[in-house]
Amino acid sequence: MSLDVPAAILERAEAGEVDDADFAEVVRTSLPYAWEVVSRVAAELESGSEEYADNLVAPPDEVARGQLLRAMASDAIRGGLERHFKVKLAFQNCHRVAAFPLSAVGGETYSRFIGTRAQLLNQSPELRNC
């Protein structure tokens, strides 16, 4: 299971739509490591002068790795994180999450980061089974 959904939120979801703030809180509490990584790269992007900010540190354990993979693999969770932090997320391997400004989507740097060449160049034996 990806998320621990409180009964009140589940009831609201059964009755209709849940707002982004409630969904973000469910993600934050259910996947704290993933939230921390995305929060950090979004803050680095906002405060820095680079075209994007990314995480190059592998998760400390399998629980953290699983949280990050679940967050990035779910369109709903990833989209919720993107809306909450107002960034476009890109993902390579088992830990490299990057935050881009929304205006970068379709641009050269973003396209290069998400391209097949970058994916191939970002491989290493220790990441084979991550």
Side-chain angles (χ1 to χ4, degrees):
M1 181 165 56
S2 293
L3 300 173
D4 297 318
V5 183
I9 300 292
L10 185 57
E11 288 173 11
R12 277 188 277 179
E14 289 169 346
E17 290 297 315
V18 176
D19 67 30
D20 275 345
D22 286 338
F23 185 68
E25 182 60 17
V26 169
V27 172
R28 185 188 69 76
T29 58
S30 298
L31 306 172
Y33 178 78
W35 182 273
E36 186 276 323
V37 169
V38 173
S39 178
R40 183 170 32 81
V41 296
E44 288 172 6
L45 175 66
E46 187 176 320
S47 67
S49 60
E50 300 297 321
E51 293 181 80
Y52 65 94
D54 63 336
N55 176 62
L56 298 173
V57 179
D61 55 38
E62 289 304 310
V63 171
R65 183 182 319 278
Q67 287 184 22
L68 194 57
L69 290 173
R70 287 194 306 278
M72 293 299 106
S74 167
D75 290 340
I77 296 172
R78 189 174 179 167
L81 288 166
E82 289 174 335
R83 289 188 302 278
H84 179 80
F85 290 105
K86 297 176 179 61
V87 298
K88 178 65 177 167
L89 297 173
F91 184 58
Q92 290 182 352
N93 292 339
C94 55
H95 66 274
R96 191 165 184 201
V97 176
F100 286 84
L102 296 174
S103 61
V105 176
E108 183 180 335
T109 301
Y110 175 77
S111 296
R112 188 172 44 246
F113 187 93
I114 65 166
T116 54
R117 181 174 185 266
Q119 182 67 47
L120 292 171
L121 294 173
N122 195 38
Q123 301 303 299
S124 64
E126 59 271 8
L127 299 176
R128 172 74 70 185
N129 292 315
C130 67

